[in-house]
Amino acid sequence: MSMTRYVAGRLAQIVLLAFLASLLIFMFSRALPGDPATLYAGPDATAETVAAVRSSFGLDDPIFVQYWRWLTEALQGNFGQSYNSRLPVSELVVGALPATLQLAAAGLLLALIIGLPTGVISALKPGSKADYAITTYNGLALSIPGFWLAILLIILFALVLGLLPAGGRVSFLDDPAGALRAIALPAVVLAFRLSAVLSRFTRTVVLEALNDDHVLTATAKGLSRRAVLTRHVFRNAVVPLITIIAVEVAELLNGAVILEALFGWPGMGWLSVDAVQTRDYLLLQAMLLVFVLVTLSLNLLADVTHARLDPRVRTRRGAVR
Amino acid sequence: MVQHQRRWRMRRLAAVTAVGVMAAAGCSSIDTPAGDDADDTAAEGEPQTGGTLTYLQAGDVSTFDPAMLPQVNYVMLPQLFDTLISLDAELEPQPELAESWEFSDDRSQLTLHLKEGVVFHDGTPFTAQSVAFTLEHYRDPEVGALIRPLLAAVSEVEVVDDTTVVLHFSEEPVSVFDALDLMFIIPEGDRDRIATEPIGTGPFELESRQPGVGLTLVRNEDYWKDGQPYLDQIEVVAARDQQAAIVQLESDAGDILLRPQYSDLARLEDQDGISTRVLDISPNMLSLHVNVASPELVDANVRKAISLAINRERIAETVLAGTVEPACLPWSEGSPAYNEKQVREGCAYDPAEAERLLADAGYDGSAELSIVVQSGVEPAYAAAAEIIAEDLRQIGVTVAIEPAEEAEAARRLDQRDYDLYSKGYGRANRDPVTAIRSTAAWRPDDGVTNYASPEYTDLVNRAAAETDPQARQQIFEQLNQLILDESFMLTITSLPTTFAFADHVGGLTTNLEGMPLLDEAWISE
């Protein structure tokens, strides 16, 4: 099967899944108890007022009419308005996206810088002091809850030392130094856990590659250690690594909900929590759709890269491990 | 929005002297509304022009439609908009955009004479047409304005000329000034843009907004009050929650925080460079709502027993950090219906009597009553519920606290799906009829406690129609007695407005609703 056919097939799959997801997402939002009109009108509103507000939100129409209206308008790029702020949903989502992208990128970068080298070192020197230290670090990083670490760091660096801000996001364009200081703590907390995941995975993958038959053959042929590593071990290790990175990135892009809340970081995670709490159906639906599409797309990207790098996948004979 | 950390350290030094003065002054109360000579905030000396005030709050501003009054919008409403009048602490209307007014002899008409030469932020002039348009907006049921029930008496709005408006009433306009005190004036224009593009006559204009992050307000150079505002700019920072906001205040990333929690007041007061204030008269009261349709709670004696079993004193001491006295009447002290004697007699804590009443009523303690609390908004609700639950267990009433997130809590209230509900209500410092008609808790018809009776409705209507203060007093006394006897709303304490601010902030006042008024605020740098 050629690459193009493979990708085309997968894209068609995504479109179909997105449609199905949109239906489920719509139903799910409406199934939540409580409604936005009651919330918007406030606890002292009369029943008449709440009914009038509900009607102005278009929530009186039959459910399928509402779904159809939403779907058709969404396909034209109009995702409706937030019930609370009356701002266009697309504007809100697009507004939150850069913050999440920025945080995801910073966290990922930091995690890669720490995780990949430590994983490799750990794999190349199993049982050594370095390996032991790295494994301990990984264990800690995976077991320490992110929110606990976040609070600790805020207390230390913002309150006690006064070096970094306690929260909020600063735009890089406005104030680069301030932006770096604002992103430092949340990126570190994100990277902490992710670096451990990457490190462990890298270690496993490199170890397995080292023990592959073809590596043994290459060494036996007399290839230098370095050549063996770069040409054979790492190349094969990269493939599954891409997959895990793609999966983790999808998670990052969906927004680290708790961390964004703690640091007052106005990204996708924060926005989606807000949408759920205020039953902002249209905003919630758009966000869930974005999550679904991001996850599906990244998985596709991972698979395509995998297929590109590993011809065995394309020929559907599967990888031999 | 992120302050230089250096200043924090320098300010600590400078503030040490200020703290000495503050420590002497203590955590005193100040009077509320503008018009009073109430510049009790920390900064000493004359107001200085200029500077940016960073205002912290938990949660972001929602819609810019001034008809909606969620607490998160309090910061921007009086800054962007003005009202026709404002009520002072004695509930007397003071001129704002309306210079003077008079009732017709039979009080069926109110003529308002408007200020001339005032312009909106977009340059359009403020006229009687603006007032008529504003009223029309507030009276539209789809808008959902909180004060709509208070405008029910208005039958017609007559624009006489550019500076004269006449309101015609179909019944005694008992709540008209309460309504006008909360009616922020908007210009004629496209109603679809009201929610997203605020245009008012207020001391500040909206410069920019970042949803979820905050907003920036800048001085309105053409403000009609000469010499004001002093501040160049206000940065409103929407923190994720109360704790995050407090952390920002403590780390010098903000200047002022409205409504820090009562449990945090002492700690904040102890901090260098930060002062706290608790306001005297509060619009908000903490109350246990009792669903009279609940099978166990149908008998008024059972409800009375519950009221007697609640240790209000303890709640005032622990939950409200001793900032208030217990209450059991719906009204705060400034209200015309407040009655010292009835408070003394009605707010008794008598668990023995409560048990006796329950026994007489043949109360079967097997059923478990729910106390619903909305989590995350005001910790006092949950903390009070805990104490109440324990108090009730003492007299043999089994209760279970049921926390609910915002939307679920709203649903349960709306559908009367609760036995007991720990919650606050507002406007307790206004005319009692206003409070009753504009709150779901006290409404005579379709009240959220399901309580209704001809006597109650009759007393409320009589209080609304009566104009003689003495006669009204008597009606209120009867009303209070009915409320105490029927025990469908068990008021516990008031919920005073609090604020915490850096010592370099001065000139802060609030209006009757507890909204911050920043037109006279200033910062000493």
Side-chain angles (χ1 to χ4, degrees), chain A residues 38-84:
Chain A
T38 315
L39 282 173
Y40 181 77
D44 286 325
T46 59
E48 183 211 345
T49 305
V50 175
V53 170
R54 189 175 292 128
S55 169
S56 79
F57 286 174
L59 296 174
D60 278 350
D61 298 328
I63 197 95
F64 292 111
V65 171
Q66 292 187 49
Y67 173 67
W68 188 247
R69 188 166 58 215
W70 175 63
L71 193 63
T72 43
E73 286 180 2
L75 286 170
Q76 295 170 49
N78 174 14
F79 288 88
Q81 288 180 330
S82 156
Y83 295 133
N84 287 309

Tab-separated table of all heavy atoms in Angstrom, chain A residues 38-84:
chain	number	residue	atom	x	y	z
A	38	THR	N	-30.494	29.059	33.660
A	38	THR	CA	-30.654	29.232	35.110
A	38	THR	C	-29.424	29.899	35.702
A	38	THR	O	-29.521	30.786	36.544
A	38	THR	CB	-30.848	27.875	35.801
A	38	THR	OG1	-31.783	27.113	35.056
A	38	THR	CG2	-31.343	28.047	37.224
A	39	LEU	N	-28.250	29.466	35.226
A	39	LEU	CA	-27.011	30.030	35.733
A	39	LEU	C	-26.863	31.488	35.344
A	39	LEU	O	-26.486	32.328	36.143
A	39	LEU	CB	-25.817	29.236	35.192
A	39	LEU	CG	-25.566	27.906	35.886
A	39	LEU	CD1	-24.486	27.154	35.152
A	39	LEU	CD2	-25.171	28.134	37.327
A	40	TYR	N	-27.163	31.786	34.085
A	40	TYR	CA	-26.985	33.142	33.598
A	40	TYR	C	-27.949	34.098	34.294
A	40	TYR	O	-27.571	35.192	34.699
A	40	TYR	CB	-27.197	33.186	32.084
A	40	TYR	CG	-27.001	34.554	31.481
A	40	TYR	CD1	-25.735	35.066	31.263
A	40	TYR	CD2	-28.098	35.352	31.141
A	40	TYR	CE1	-25.551	36.324	30.718
A	40	TYR	CE2	-27.915	36.613	30.593
A	40	TYR	CZ	-26.645	37.088	30.389
A	40	TYR	OH	-26.466	38.339	29.855
A	41	ALA	N	-29.204	33.685	34.412
A	41	ALA	CA	-30.203	34.575	34.991
A	41	ALA	C	-29.976	34.785	36.483
A	41	ALA	O	-30.431	35.774	37.044
A	41	ALA	CB	-31.602	34.020	34.747
A	42	GLY	N	-29.275	33.837	37.106
A	42	GLY	CA	-28.957	34.026	38.512
A	42	GLY	C	-30.011	33.430	39.428
A	42	GLY	O	-31.137	33.166	39.008
A	43	PRO	N	-29.664	33.216	40.711
A	43	PRO	CA	-30.558	32.516	41.625
A	43	PRO	C	-31.838	33.274	41.959
A	43	PRO	O	-32.807	32.681	42.400
A	43	PRO	CB	-29.705	32.340	42.884
A	43	PRO	CG	-28.632	33.358	42.783
A	43	PRO	CD	-28.393	33.605	41.338
A	44	ASP	N	-31.850	34.585	41.760
A	44	ASP	CA	-33.035	35.350	42.126
A	44	ASP	C	-33.999	35.585	40.974
A	44	ASP	O	-34.992	36.286	41.131
A	44	ASP	CB	-32.614	36.704	42.715
A	44	ASP	CG	-32.047	36.544	44.120
A	44	ASP	OD1	-32.544	35.661	44.849
A	44	ASP	OD2	-31.121	37.284	44.469
A	45	ALA	N	-33.706	35.020	39.824
A	45	ALA	CA	-34.575	35.254	38.672
A	45	ALA	C	-35.888	34.496	38.835
A	45	ALA	O	-35.931	33.410	39.395
A	45	ALA	CB	-33.868	34.791	37.406
A	46	THR	N	-36.957	35.084	38.334
A	46	THR	CA	-38.248	34.401	38.373
A	46	THR	C	-38.260	33.328	37.290
A	46	THR	O	-37.447	33.351	36.365
A	46	THR	CB	-39.400	35.373	38.082
A	46	THR	OG1	-39.185	35.960	36.788
A	46	THR	CG2	-39.486	36.458	39.134
A	47	ALA	N	-39.207	32.400	37.422
A	47	ALA	CA	-39.311	31.325	36.431
A	47	ALA	C	-39.547	31.906	35.044
A	47	ALA	O	-39.022	31.414	34.048
A	47	ALA	CB	-40.451	30.387	36.820
A	48	GLU	N	-40.331	32.972	34.990
A	48	GLU	CA	-40.629	33.629	33.713
A	48	GLU	C	-39.352	34.156	33.066
A	48	GLU	O	-39.120	33.990	31.865
A	48	GLU	CB	-41.604	34.780	33.981
A	48	GLU	CG	-42.065	35.510	32.745
A	48	GLU	CD	-42.358	36.987	33.033
A	48	GLU	OE1	-42.473	37.330	34.231
A	48	GLU	OE2	-42.466	37.766	32.081
A	49	THR	N	-38.509	34.785	33.884
A	49	THR	CA	-37.253	35.328	33.361
A	49	THR	C	-36.361	34.223	32.835
A	49	THR	O	-35.798	34.334	31.744
A	49	THR	CB	-36.512	36.104	34.457
A	49	THR	OG1	-37.379	37.096	34.990
A	49	THR	CG2	-35.255	36.748	33.926
A	50	VAL	N	-36.230	33.153	33.612
A	50	VAL	CA	-35.367	32.054	33.188
A	50	VAL	C	-35.875	31.476	31.871
A	50	VAL	O	-35.094	31.179	30.966
A	50	VAL	CB	-35.303	30.953	34.271
A	50	VAL	CG1	-34.510	29.758	33.767
A	50	VAL	CG2	-34.676	31.481	35.546
A	51	ALA	N	-37.185	31.337	31.764
A	51	ALA	CA	-37.760	30.803	30.518
A	51	ALA	C	-37.455	31.718	29.348
A	51	ALA	O	-37.097	31.253	28.254
A	51	ALA	CB	-39.264	30.620	30.682
A	52	ALA	N	-37.558	33.021	29.573
A	52	ALA	CA	-37.289	33.977	28.493
A	52	ALA	C	-35.825	33.925	28.082
A	52	ALA	O	-35.492	33.924	26.894
A	52	ALA	CB	-37.664	35.391	28.941
A	53	VAL	N	-34.944	33.832	29.074
A	53	VAL	CA	-33.518	33.756	28.779
A	53	VAL	C	-33.207	32.464	28.026
A	53	VAL	O	-32.455	32.464	27.045
A	53	VAL	CB	-32.683	33.832	30.081
A	53	VAL	CG1	-31.227	33.517	29.812
A	53	VAL	CG2	-32.806	35.216	30.700
A	54	ARG	N	-33.834	31.368	28.470
A	54	ARG	CA	-33.606	30.068	27.816
A	54	ARG	C	-34.024	30.146	26.357
A	54	ARG	O	-33.355	29.641	25.466
A	54	ARG	CB	-34.376	28.969	28.542
A	54	ARG	CG	-34.019	27.567	28.043
A	54	ARG	CD	-34.710	26.496	28.857
A	54	ARG	NE	-34.214	26.423	30.204
A	54	ARG	CZ	-34.985	26.462	31.282
A	54	ARG	NH1	-36.287	26.587	31.162
A	54	ARG	NH2	-34.440	26.392	32.484
A	55	SER	N	-35.125	30.825	26.135
A	55	SER	CA	-35.617	30.974	24.769
A	55	SER	C	-34.644	31.802	23.939
A	55	SER	O	-34.362	31.485	22.784
A	55	SER	CB	-36.996	31.629	24.822
A	55	SER	OG	-37.392	32.004	23.553
A	56	SER	N	-34.090	32.845	24.540
A	56	SER	CA	-33.157	33.684	23.787
A	56	SER	C	-31.866	32.935	23.470
A	56	SER	O	-31.140	33.287	22.550
A	56	SER	CB	-32.844	34.980	24.559
A	56	SER	OG	-31.907	34.726	25.571
A	57	PHE	N	-31.565	31.890	24.247
A	57	PHE	CA	-30.388	31.065	23.968
A	57	PHE	C	-30.675	30.030	22.889
A	57	PHE	O	-29.792	29.275	22.509
A	57	PHE	CB	-29.928	30.323	25.244
A	57	PHE	CG	-29.238	31.193	26.247
A	57	PHE	CD1	-28.887	30.660	27.479
A	57	PHE	CD2	-28.927	32.516	25.992
A	57	PHE	CE1	-28.240	31.441	28.441
A	57	PHE	CE2	-28.284	33.302	26.938
A	57	PHE	CZ	-27.949	32.756	28.165
A	58	GLY	N	-31.907	29.947	22.434
A	58	GLY	CA	-32.261	28.957	21.421
A	58	GLY	C	-32.395	27.560	21.977
A	58	GLY	O	-32.355	26.578	21.236
A	59	LEU	N	-32.593	27.458	23.292
A	59	LEU	CA	-32.644	26.132	23.898
A	59	LEU	C	-34.060	25.576	23.949
A	59	LEU	O	-34.285	24.500	24.481
A	59	LEU	CB	-32.049	26.181	25.319
A	59	LEU	CG	-30.564	26.533	25.374
A	59	LEU	CD1	-30.109	26.691	26.812
A	59	LEU	CD2	-29.743	25.435	24.695
A	60	ASP	N	-35.010	26.330	23.421
A	60	ASP	CA	-36.387	25.842	23.410
A	60	ASP	C	-36.653	24.924	22.240
A	60	ASP	O	-37.591	24.142	22.241
A	60	ASP	CB	-37.366	27.035	23.330
A	60	ASP	CG	-37.593	27.662	24.695
A	60	ASP	OD1	-37.153	27.058	25.690
A	60	ASP	OD2	-38.216	28.729	24.751
A	61	ASP	N	-35.835	25.062	21.206
A	61	ASP	CA	-36.069	24.251	20.006
A	61	ASP	C	-35.835	22.782	20.289
A	61	ASP	O	-35.075	22.432	21.180
A	61	ASP	CB	-35.121	24.693	18.887
A	61	ASP	CG	-35.360	26.132	18.489
A	61	ASP	OD1	-36.518	26.576	18.579
A	61	ASP	OD2	-34.387	26.806	18.088
A	62	PRO	N	-36.471	21.908	19.494
A	62	PRO	CA	-36.231	20.471	19.650
A	62	PRO	C	-34.752	20.157	19.518
A	62	PRO	O	-34.029	20.823	18.773
A	62	PRO	CB	-37.018	19.833	18.494
A	62	PRO	CG	-37.942	20.871	18.009
A	62	PRO	CD	-37.430	22.205	18.432
A	63	ILE	N	-34.328	19.113	20.213
A	63	ILE	CA	-32.903	18.825	20.339
A	63	ILE	C	-32.242	18.585	18.986
A	63	ILE	O	-31.115	19.025	18.738
A	63	ILE	CB	-32.685	17.640	21.315
A	63	ILE	CG1	-31.239	17.612	21.780
A	63	ILE	CG2	-33.098	16.333	20.721
A	63	ILE	CD1	-31.034	18.313	23.072
A	64	PHE	N	-32.970	17.926	18.079
A	64	PHE	CA	-32.348	17.630	16.786
A	64	PHE	C	-32.203	18.875	15.920
A	64	PHE	O	-31.260	19.014	15.147
A	64	PHE	CB	-33.133	16.536	16.049
A	64	PHE	CG	-33.013	15.218	16.733
A	64	PHE	CD1	-34.106	14.650	17.372
A	64	PHE	CD2	-31.796	14.548	16.780
A	64	PHE	CE1	-33.982	13.437	18.033
A	64	PHE	CE2	-31.667	13.335	17.441
A	64	PHE	CZ	-32.764	12.780	18.069
A	65	VAL	N	-33.158	19.775	16.084
A	65	VAL	CA	-33.050	21.058	15.397
A	65	VAL	C	-31.809	21.795	15.879
A	65	VAL	O	-31.040	22.362	15.093
A	65	VAL	CB	-34.317	21.920	15.649
A	65	VAL	CG1	-34.123	23.330	15.124
A	65	VAL	CG2	-35.529	21.263	15.025
A	66	GLN	N	-31.605	21.771	17.191
A	66	GLN	CA	-30.435	22.447	17.750
A	66	GLN	C	-29.143	21.811	17.230
A	66	GLN	O	-28.186	22.512	16.907
A	66	GLN	CB	-30.461	22.385	19.277
A	66	GLN	CG	-31.575	23.199	19.914
A	66	GLN	CD	-31.436	23.214	21.422
A	66	GLN	OE1	-30.352	23.476	21.946
A	66	GLN	NE2	-32.520	22.939	22.123
A	67	TYR	N	-29.135	20.472	17.189
A	67	TYR	CA	-27.934	19.783	16.717
A	67	TYR	C	-27.651	20.158	15.262
A	67	TYR	O	-26.518	20.480	14.905
A	67	TYR	CB	-28.092	18.263	16.858
A	67	TYR	CG	-26.946	17.489	16.237
A	67	TYR	CD1	-25.659	17.553	16.771
A	67	TYR	CD2	-27.137	16.710	15.095
A	67	TYR	CE1	-24.603	16.870	16.196
A	67	TYR	CE2	-26.085	16.015	14.519
A	67	TYR	CZ	-24.816	16.104	15.076
A	67	TYR	OH	-23.777	15.427	14.494
A	68	TRP	N	-28.694	20.098	14.452
A	68	TRP	CA	-28.521	20.372	13.038
A	68	TRP	C	-28.012	21.793	12.827
A	68	TRP	O	-27.094	22.035	12.050
A	68	TRP	CB	-29.854	20.165	12.310
A	68	TRP	CG	-29.702	20.247	10.830
A	68	TRP	CD1	-30.187	21.193	9.989
A	68	TRP	CD2	-28.983	19.329	10.005
A	68	TRP	NE1	-29.828	20.938	8.700
A	68	TRP	CE2	-29.079	19.789	8.681
A	68	TRP	CE3	-28.253	18.148	10.250
A	68	TRP	CZ2	-28.487	19.123	7.610
A	68	TRP	CZ3	-27.673	17.499	9.187
A	68	TRP	CH2	-27.779	17.986	7.887
A	69	ARG	N	-28.600	22.727	13.572
A	69	ARG	CA	-28.203	24.128	13.470
A	69	ARG	C	-26.719	24.263	13.833
A	69	ARG	O	-25.949	24.914	13.128
A	69	ARG	CB	-29.066	24.988	14.392
A	69	ARG	CG	-28.843	26.485	14.205
A	69	ARG	CD	-29.943	27.287	14.881
A	69	ARG	NE	-30.021	27.000	16.314
A	69	ARG	CZ	-31.152	26.971	16.998
A	69	ARG	NH1	-32.306	27.171	16.394
A	69	ARG	NH2	-31.139	26.717	18.294
A	70	TRP	N	-26.342	23.624	14.925
A	70	TRP	CA	-24.959	23.704	15.369
A	70	TRP	C	-24.012	23.109	14.321
A	70	TRP	O	-23.014	23.720	13.946
A	70	TRP	CB	-24.798	22.987	16.714
A	70	TRP	CG	-23.370	22.932	17.162
A	70	TRP	CD1	-22.558	23.992	17.464
A	70	TRP	CD2	-22.574	21.757	17.334
A	70	TRP	NE1	-21.310	23.548	17.830
A	70	TRP	CE2	-21.296	22.180	17.757
A	70	TRP	CE3	-22.812	20.373	17.200
A	70	TRP	CZ2	-20.264	21.290	18.037
A	70	TRP	CZ3	-21.776	19.493	17.477
A	70	TRP	CH2	-20.517	19.946	17.889
A	71	LEU	N	-24.325	21.923	13.812
A	71	LEU	CA	-23.472	21.231	12.886
A	71	LEU	C	-23.296	22.025	11.602
A	71	LEU	O	-22.172	22.258	11.150
A	71	LEU	CB	-24.050	19.841	12.573
A	71	LEU	CG	-23.108	18.907	11.854
A	71	LEU	CD1	-21.903	18.610	12.727
A	71	LEU	CD2	-23.835	17.615	11.498
A	72	THR	N	-24.424	22.481	11.049
A	72	THR	CA	-24.332	23.193	9.776
A	72	THR	C	-23.565	24.501	9.940
A	72	THR	O	-22.740	24.860	9.092
A	72	THR	CB	-25.723	23.488	9.188
A	72	THR	OG1	-26.572	23.939	10.249
A	72	THR	CG2	-26.328	22.238	8.591
A	73	GLU	N	-23.804	25.183	11.040
A	73	GLU	CA	-23.072	26.432	11.229
A	73	GLU	C	-21.598	26.174	11.516
A	73	GLU	O	-20.734	26.936	11.076
A	73	GLU	CB	-23.712	27.248	12.361
A	73	GLU	CG	-25.019	27.881	11.912
A	73	GLU	CD	-25.690	28.699	12.992
A	73	GLU	OE1	-25.102	28.804	14.095
A	73	GLU	OE2	-26.781	29.212	12.728
A	74	ALA	N	-21.318	25.098	12.229
A	74	ALA	CA	-19.928	24.773	12.537
A	74	ALA	C	-19.151	24.489	11.266
A	74	ALA	O	-17.994	24.906	11.122
A	74	ALA	CB	-19.869	23.574	13.478
A	75	LEU	N	-19.792	23.787	10.329
A	75	LEU	CA	-19.117	23.475	9.076
A	75	LEU	C	-18.791	24.736	8.299
A	75	LEU	O	-17.883	24.753	7.470
A	75	LEU	CB	-19.983	22.528	8.230
A	75	LEU	CG	-20.011	21.090	8.755
A	75	LEU	CD1	-21.057	20.263	8.024
A	75	LEU	CD2	-18.640	20.444	8.594
A	76	GLN	N	-19.548	25.820	8.598
A	76	GLN	CA	-19.247	27.089	7.941
A	76	GLN	C	-18.311	27.944	8.786
A	76	GLN	O	-18.069	29.111	8.489
A	76	GLN	CB	-20.538	27.878	7.703
A	76	GLN	CG	-21.472	27.198	6.721
A	76	GLN	CD	-22.822	27.886	6.720
A	76	GLN	OE1	-22.893	29.103	6.621
A	76	GLN	NE2	-23.884	27.117	6.845
A	77	GLY	N	-17.835	27.356	9.863
A	77	GLY	CA	-16.876	28.086	10.677
A	77	GLY	C	-17.502	28.899	11.796
A	77	GLY	O	-16.794	29.571	12.542
A	78	ASN	N	-18.817	28.831	11.945
A	78	ASN	CA	-19.462	29.597	13.011
A	78	ASN	C	-19.852	28.660	14.139
A	78	ASN	O	-20.756	27.852	13.997
A	78	ASN	CB	-20.709	30.301	12.457
A	78	ASN	CG	-21.500	30.979	13.551
A	78	ASN	OD1	-21.022	31.163	14.665
A	78	ASN	ND2	-22.740	31.356	13.243
A	79	PHE	N	-19.153	28.769	15.246
A	79	PHE	CA	-19.408	27.864	16.355
A	79	PHE	C	-20.311	28.469	17.421
A	79	PHE	O	-20.441	27.927	18.504
A	79	PHE	CB	-18.078	27.424	16.991
A	79	PHE	CG	-17.307	26.476	16.108
A	79	PHE	CD1	-16.420	26.960	15.154
A	79	PHE	CD2	-17.482	25.118	16.211
A	79	PHE	CE1	-15.729	26.099	14.326
A	79	PHE	CE2	-16.785	24.243	15.390
A	79	PHE	CZ	-15.909	24.733	14.451
A	80	GLY	N	-20.917	29.600	17.121
A	80	GLY	CA	-21.866	30.198	18.058
A	80	GLY	C	-21.182	31.112	19.050
A	80	GLY	O	-20.001	31.432	18.931
A	81	GLN	N	-21.965	31.527	20.042
A	81	GLN	CA	-21.474	32.463	21.046
A	81	GLN	C	-21.507	31.832	22.417
A	81	GLN	O	-22.361	31.003	22.703
A	81	GLN	CB	-22.401	33.680	21.124
A	81	GLN	CG	-22.340	34.621	19.978
A	81	GLN	CD	-23.301	35.772	20.209
A	81	GLN	OE1	-24.324	35.598	20.857
A	81	GLN	NE2	-22.975	36.928	19.700
A	82	SER	N	-20.606	32.273	23.263
A	82	SER	CA	-20.657	31.864	24.662
A	82	SER	C	-21.901	32.482	25.294
A	82	SER	O	-22.210	33.634	25.052
A	82	SER	CB	-19.402	32.362	25.380
A	82	SER	OG	-19.654	32.487	26.767
A	83	TYR	N	-22.620	31.698	26.094
A	83	TYR	CA	-23.832	32.241	26.712
A	83	TYR	C	-23.497	33.346	27.699
A	83	TYR	O	-24.236	34.285	27.865
A	83	TYR	CB	-24.604	31.141	27.456
A	83	TYR	CG	-25.141	30.066	26.561
A	83	TYR	CD1	-24.968	28.736	26.884
A	83	TYR	CD2	-25.840	30.358	25.398
A	83	TYR	CE1	-25.461	27.724	26.084
A	83	TYR	CE2	-26.331	29.355	24.584
A	83	TYR	CZ	-26.138	28.034	24.930
A	83	TYR	OH	-26.618	27.029	24.138
A	84	ASN	N	-22.365	33.204	28.359
A	84	ASN	CA	-22.019	34.176	29.403
A	84	ASN	C	-21.453	35.471	28.864
A	84	ASN	O	-21.904	36.544	29.208
A	84	ASN	CB	-21.008	33.561	30.364
A	84	ASN	CG	-21.650	32.546	31.258
A	84	ASN	OD1	-22.660	32.828	31.878
A	84	ASN	ND2	-21.098	31.364	31.293
